[in-house]
Amino acid sequence: MRPLIGLFLIAVSMALAGSVPIKTLVFSTATSTSYVEMIPQRPMNLTAFTLCMRVATELSGQREIILFAYRTGSYDELNVWRELDGRLSFYMAGDPVLFKVPELAALQTHLCVTWDSTSGLAALFLDGKRSLSKIYRKGHTVRAGGRVILGQDPDSFLGSFDEQQSFVGEICDVNMWDVVLADSVIQGMFAGKREPRGNVFDWESTELRINGDVEVAIREL
Amino acid sequence: MRPLIGLFLIAVSMALAGSVPIKTLVFSTATSTSYVEMIPQRPMNLTAFTLCMRVATELSGQREIILFAYRTGSYDELNVWRELDGRLSFYMAGDPVLFKVPELAALQTHLCVTWDSTSGLAALFLDGKRSLSKIYRKGHTVRAGGRVILGQDPDSFLGSFDEQQSFVGEICDVNMWDVVLADSVIQGMFAGKREPRGNVFDWESTELRINGDVEVAIREL
Amino acid sequence: MRPLIGLFLIAVSMALAGSVPIKTLVFSTATSTSYVEMIPQRPMNLTAFTLCMRVATELSGQREIILFAYRTGSYDELNVWRELDGRLSFYMAGDPVLFKVPELAALQTHLCVTWDSTSGLAALFLDGKRSLSKIYRKGHTVRAGGRVILGQDPDSFLGSFDEQQSFVGEICDVNMWDVVLADSVIQGMFAGKREPRGNVFDWESTELRINGDVEVAIREL
């Protein structure tokens, strides 16, 4: 049981590290014009990734909600959705992989999506709790050269937005890695750890370009 | 207090576990042909056991799901089920013992089953939380000489599978001991501790024989 | 981040507790005959108390369930109930105080009841989480000279049992103090701490007198 003392000290230092101020995005109403572009830190040709965010919405019922969109000229390279029926999904240039999980709601959810090309393993994490794995797009590569936006689903290159698919609510702490992080690492970030920092997107340093009616505020994690 | 326990266990796992690579089994569709045989490390004549696994499934509604099957020539020596009505159960050569507990779903559950012949005490643990105890098969002994499979329910020796009872989803970290582990030990393993290793099945070393369409992948706990 | 410190203190106390063998009582069926008498360590004239237990039951729907009964010749001195509508309550010689809390179920609940005569403050703790306080029987004293039983509600002195109010399920670790323990002490015991030991009932040493069909087994906390 000795190691637990060490764990305790780690935990206390973590807790004492205190509150971290971060930007947060509030989309107050459904629009076909408001969105935030995120500028990646490296080209987005990816054979694996972990994408995390903190998200809350009061939208419910029969409504699609776009959570993350990465589009090149002709393809939805990586789009994350809440589907009409409440399922969560992501699409990489074609049919989606879908997960029947508890619904996003007004209390914030820490959501992560992981995928690896070699095995095809795809999984979600809601508040640190892992979903079943599914096999999806084994051998596929996400292409570089597109644009990433929050708030709208582009049906053409950064355009053709549909208000009925827009995001309404709050979204923040969007981070992305070009590897699949271990379950325990994702659980740690849910619990407040700020390491490792994302190498595709690091919310604390990524450039955000605001368009339309999006409130950018600071809160303390 | 549920969320508190969750946080605490996550925190402990974070600190204790580090990341551990393990094999995981994905059964993508219902079949009457896909299964995985597990080769035990010792003869399975048992007067007590703890059997644990991590399991997730999107199957719901009126559907039986086999979770673990150990069969000798004529007997279901130890079969673990999700029943038609969502209850969890296990059968040792006859009528089952049933538990009315929260349903298995797409977010992974750490499930353990314990039984001891002397007292007849049978109990489940879901994510470290213990069920009520029931008295079941006092004085009974599980017989050696059978075969253990995941994914199908053998109604004869390794045959007569029924697609409508097959497992669909993900299952991994199946470990078994020939004793009843303490509640606190099971809670520790839910939280990510990798000790004590199973002496009947140790997922990190047990030989797996794959049959049919079962994806074997590696993930990091 | 403050709550994390509390979490880790709980974690450490739990981990340091190690595994503790305790007696547990399994009431397999509804009867009007099975019960367990507990012999107190001191006279039960009480102007304050904390009463804790670990309890699990699959009974649900419209059914009263007796959880603890202390009766003198003519009075229910201290009876703890799950009411018809799922609320938890306790009665001291008259009308009850009722609490609308999550229902007892098949996964074990750590339940404590506290009351103090001077302030009249009454509260419950479920898995370490405190209910609202209510004011109840200010100035009252529980009388000595009665008998304490688990499993049945005596409508006369140790008799007149009603099968429809009997306890079915598992109950153990019933401890009682003649003071109101601090919230943090109760949370510690939920998390596995074994101190302070009860001075009215200490489950590890209290004499139990078994009547009828009650299984007494040992399990490891």
Side-chain angles (χ1 to χ4, degrees):
Chain A
M1 296 297 182
R2 281 286 150 166
L4 270 167
I5 305 295
L7 135 69
F8 174 66
L9 294 174
I10 290 164
V12 167
S13 59
M14 194 178 117
L16 294 180
S19 50
V20 179
I22 63 162
K23 278 170 295 193
T24 190
L25 305 175
V26 180
F27 295 78
S28 296
T29 54
T31 72
S32 61
T33 50
S34 302
Y35 66 95
V36 175
E37 184 177 357
M38 298 179 66
I39 311 301
Q41 300 164 187
R42 48 149 286 175
M44 287 182 67
N45 51 322
L46 300 169
T47 54
F49 67 82
T50 301
L51 170 64
C52 295
M53 62 185 73
R54 297 178 195 269
V55 58
T57 179
E58 285 180 335
L59 293 174
S60 58
Q62 293 285 309
R63 169 69 145 80
E64 292 173 328
I65 310 172
I66 185 77
L67 299 174
F68 180 94
Y70 171 48
R71 188 178 171 92
T72 50
S74 316
Y75 294 99
D76 290 335
E77 292 292 341
L78 173 57
N79 284 14
V80 183
W81 287 91
R82 193 209 88 131
E83 300 283 340
L84 272 180
D85 62 3
R87 284 187 293 180
L88 294 178
S89 64
F90 66 99
Y91 294 67
M92 297 194 302
D95 290 336
V97 57
L98 296 137
F99 295 87
K100 222 183 284 173
V101 289
E103 288 209 32
L104 298 183
L107 296 181
Q108 177 185 275
T109 299
H110 183 262
L111 171 66
C112 295
V113 181
T114 65
W115 173 77
D116 172 70
S117 179
T118 308
S119 63
L121 272 195
L124 301 186
F125 291 76
L126 279 78
D127 290 344
K129 205 162 158 53
R130 183 193 174 98
S131 74
L132 77 176
S133 301
K134 299 200 172 187
I135 306 300
Y136 181 60
R137 290 275 185 277
K138 205 188 275 202
H140 176 76
T141 301
V142 176
R143 279 158 286 225
R147 311 273 284 270
V148 167
I149 66 171
L150 304 175
Q152 299 291 343
D153 170 43
D155 286 332
S156 63
F157 194 65
L158 219 50
S160 308
F161 299 147
D162 176 356
E163 181 183 322
Q164 285 308 304
Q165 297 181 315
S166 68
F167 178 76
V168 183
E170 181 178 3
I171 194 164
C172 67
D173 212 15
V174 182
N175 294 287
M176 192 171 189
W177 296 258
D178 62 359
V179 293
V180 171
L181 298 176
D183 294 11
S184 54
V185 171
I186 291 174
Q187 286 157 358
M189 290 191 301
F190 160 58
K193 275 198 82 169
R194 305 296 298 165
E195 302 287 338
R197 305 304 314 149
N199 65 345
V200 182
F201 293 109
D202 170 2
W203 187 254
E204 295 182 15
S205 60
T206 293
E207 182 189 343
L208 301 180
R209 296 186 185 156
I210 312 298
N211 295 270
D213 180 24
V214 185
E215 198 74 37
V216 186
I218 303 293
R219 42 180 266 215
E220 305 270 331
L221 271 192
Chain B
M1 208 65 181
R2 286 261 168 101
L4 254 175
I5 297 180
L7 265 183
F8 141 57
L9 290 168
I10 284 166
V12 170
S13 76
M14 215 172 91
L16 285 186
S19 49
V20 180
I22 63 162
K23 276 170 296 192
T24 191
L25 305 176
V26 180
F27 295 78
S28 296
T29 55
T31 72
S32 61
T33 49
S34 302
Y35 66 94
V36 175
E37 184 176 358
M38 298 179 67
I39 311 301
Q41 300 164 188
R42 48 148 286 174
M44 287 183 67
N45 49 321
L46 300 169
T47 55
F49 66 82
T50 301
L51 170 65
C52 296
M53 64 184 73
R54 298 179 193 269
V55 59
T57 180
E58 286 182 331
L59 292 175
S60 58
Q62 294 285 308
R63 170 70 145 79
E64 294 173 328
I65 310 171
I66 186 78
L67 299 174
F68 180 94
Y70 171 49
R71 187 177 172 94
T72 50
S74 316
Y75 294 99
D76 290 335
E77 292 292 340
L78 173 59
N79 284 16
V80 183
W81 288 92
R82 192 207 88 132
E83 299 283 341
L84 271 181
D85 61 5
R87 283 186 294 180
L88 294 178
S89 65
F90 66 98
Y91 294 69
M92 297 194 301
D95 290 336
V97 57
L98 296 137
F99 296 86
K100 223 184 285 174
V101 289
E103 287 208 33
L104 299 183
L107 295 181
Q108 179 184 273
T109 299
H110 182 262
L111 171 67
C112 295
V113 181
T114 65
W115 172 76
D116 172 70
S117 179
T118 308
S119 63
L121 272 196
L124 301 187
F125 292 76
L126 278 78
D127 290 343
K129 206 162 158 52
R130 184 192 174 99
S131 75
L132 78 177
S133 301
K134 300 201 170 186
I135 306 300
Y136 181 61
R137 289 274 184 280
K138 204 188 274 203
H140 177 77
T141 301
V142 175
R143 278 157 286 224
R147 312 272 285 269
V148 168
I149 66 171
L150 304 174
Q152 299 290 343
D153 170 44
D155 286 332
S156 62
F157 195 66
L158 222 48
S160 309
F161 299 147
D162 177 356
E163 181 182 321
Q164 284 309 305
Q165 298 181 315
S166 68
F167 177 76
V168 184
E170 181 178 5
I171 193 165
C172 66
D173 214 14
V174 182
N175 294 288
M176 192 172 188
W177 296 258
D178 61 0
V179 293
V180 171
L181 298 176
D183 293 12
S184 53
V185 171
I186 290 173
Q187 286 158 359
M189 290 191 301
F190 160 58
K193 277 198 79 170
R194 305 297 297 165
E195 303 286 337
R197 306 303 316 148
N199 66 344
V200 182
F201 293 108
D202 170 1
W203 188 253
E204 295 182 15
S205 60
T206 293
E207 183 189 342
L208 301 179
R209 295 186 186 155
I210 312 298
N211 295 270
D213 180 23
V214 184
E215 200 75 35
V216 186
I218 303 293
R219 44 180 263 215
E220 302 270 330
L221 272 192
Chain C
M1 288 298 219
R2 268 306 140 90
L4 268 172
I5 297 178
L7 290 185
F8 282 93
L9 290 171
I10 288 170
V12 169
S13 67
M14 183 171 155
L16 294 180
S19 52
V20 179
I22 63 162
K23 277 171 295 194
T24 191
L25 305 176
V26 179
F27 295 79
S28 296
T29 54
T31 71
S32 61
T33 49
S34 301
Y35 66 95
V36 175
E37 184 176 357
M38 298 178 67
I39 311 302
Q41 299 165 189
R42 47 149 286 175
M44 286 182 69
N45 50 322
L46 299 169
T47 55
F49 66 82
T50 301
L51 170 65
C52 296
M53 64 185 72
R54 297 178 194 269
V55 59
T57 179
E58 285 180 332
L59 292 174
S60 58
Q62 294 285 309
R63 170 68 146 81
E64 293 174 327
I65 310 171
I66 185 78
L67 299 174
F68 180 94
Y70 171 49
R71 188 178 173 92
T72 49
S74 314
Y75 294 99
D76 290 334
E77 292 292 341
L78 174 57
N79 283 16
V80 183
W81 288 92
R82 192 206 87 133
E83 300 284 340
L84 270 181
D85 62 5
R87 283 186 294 180
L88 294 178
S89 65
F90 66 98
Y91 294 68
M92 297 194 301
D95 289 336
V97 57
L98 295 137
F99 296 86
K100 221 183 284 175
V101 288
E103 288 209 32
L104 299 182
L107 295 182
Q108 179 183 272
T109 300
H110 182 263
L111 172 67
C112 295
V113 182
T114 64
W115 172 78
D116 171 70
S117 179
T118 308
S119 64
L121 273 194
L124 301 187
F125 292 76
L126 278 78
D127 289 345
K129 204 167 159 55
R130 185 192 173 99
S131 73
L132 76 176
S133 301
K134 301 201 172 185
I135 306 300
Y136 181 61
R137 290 276 185 278
K138 203 187 275 201
H140 176 76
T141 301
V142 175
R143 278 156 286 224
R147 312 273 284 268
V148 168
I149 66 171
L150 304 174
Q152 299 290 344
D153 169 45
D155 286 332
S156 63
F157 195 66
L158 222 48
S160 309
F161 299 147
D162 177 355
E163 180 181 323
Q164 284 311 304
Q165 299 180 314
S166 68
F167 177 77
V168 184
E170 181 177 6
I171 194 164
C172 67
D173 213 14
V174 182
N175 294 287
M176 192 172 188
W177 297 259
D178 62 0
V179 293
V180 171
L181 298 176
D183 294 12
S184 56
V185 171
I186 290 174
Q187 285 158 1
M189 290 190 302
F190 159 58
K193 276 197 80 169
R194 304 299 296 165
E195 303 287 336
R197 306 303 317 149
N199 66 344
V200 182
F201 293 108
D202 171 1
W203 187 254
E204 296 182 15
S205 60
T206 293
E207 183 188 342
L208 300 179
R209 294 185 187 157
I210 312 299
N211 295 271
D213 180 24
V214 184
E215 201 73 36
V216 185
I218 303 293
R219 45 178 263 214
E220 304 268 331
L221 273 191

